[in-house]
Amino acid sequence: MLKRFPGPRKGRPYVAVVRAGDMVYTAGYTGFETDGTVPEDFGAQVRLILDKARANLERAGSSLDRVVSVTVYLTDQERDREALDAAFREAFAHAPPARATVEVKALSDPAKRVEMQFVAHADRVAGE
């Protein structure tokens, strides 16, 4: 079974999340508000990303608790690594996922400091 769940931004050549059998794969999420603004605070960007991931994983029949792997792209690991670790300790307190953290030169907007892509195991039929 392959099911695609588009995001709110129509016309993009990708979807927000895909469920393939018992696995769920997300697009890369960045931390911006619904009006398109990007908070300066790194922690706020991470919270927005986790909120998007939570909502889209649940649409696909999974949850943050079922995340098995996260790929994180940071524009400055030295500056933001500790705050990222703190956010992960809070968000994944009971079952931390595997994680790869990569420093990148830039993201899609200079104000964006982090992007995350999630892989999770599905625990129910999507849409239930």
Side-chain angles (χ1 to χ4, degrees), residues 4-16 32 56 59:
R4 291 174 173 82
F5 299 84
R9 300 174 76 182
K10 304 293 184 219
R12 299 288 181 155
Y14 59 87
V15 294
F32 60 91
N56 283 307
R59 284 181 19 185

Side-chain angles (χ1 to χ4, degrees), residues 2-5 15-20 23-27 29 60 120:
L2 184 66
K3 185 166 183 180
R4 291 174 173 82
F5 299 84
V15 294
V17 63
V18 173
R19 179 168 173 170
M23 299 305 296
V24 179
Y25 304 87
T26 74
Y29 299 138

Side-chain angles (χ1 to χ4, degrees), residues 98-113:
R99 184 176 93 188
T101 306
V102 180
E103 185 166 297
V104 296
K105 182 177 178 181
L107 295 170
S108 60
D109 177 321
K112 294 176 180 176
R113 295 166 53 182

Side-chain angles (χ1 to χ4, degrees), residues 14-97:
Y14 59 87
V15 294
V17 63
V18 173
R19 179 168 173 170
D22 289 338
M23 299 305 296
V24 179
Y25 304 87
T26 74
Y29 299 138
T30 57
F32 60 91
E33 302 283 356
T34 55
D35 66 1
T37 59
V38 179
E40 285 185 40
D41 179 65
F42 179 81
Q45 289 187 32
V46 170
R47 284 187 296 279
L48 287 165
I49 290 168
L50 291 170
D51 288 347
K52 287 179 196 177
R54 182 180 295 108
N56 283 307
L57 289 167
E58 288 175 0
R59 284 181 19 185
S62 190
S63 66
L64 282 179
D65 291 340
R66 306 285 291 184
V67 170
V68 296
S69 178
V70 182
T71 302
V72 180
Y73 304 94
L74 291 177
T75 57
D76 189 333
Q77 282 202 55
E78 187 174 324
R79 174 188 62 199
D80 295 327
R81 183 71 176 246
E82 285 184 35
L84 177 68
D85 287 347
F88 265 63
R89 280 187 200 94
E90 183 178 323
F92 301 107
H94 300 294

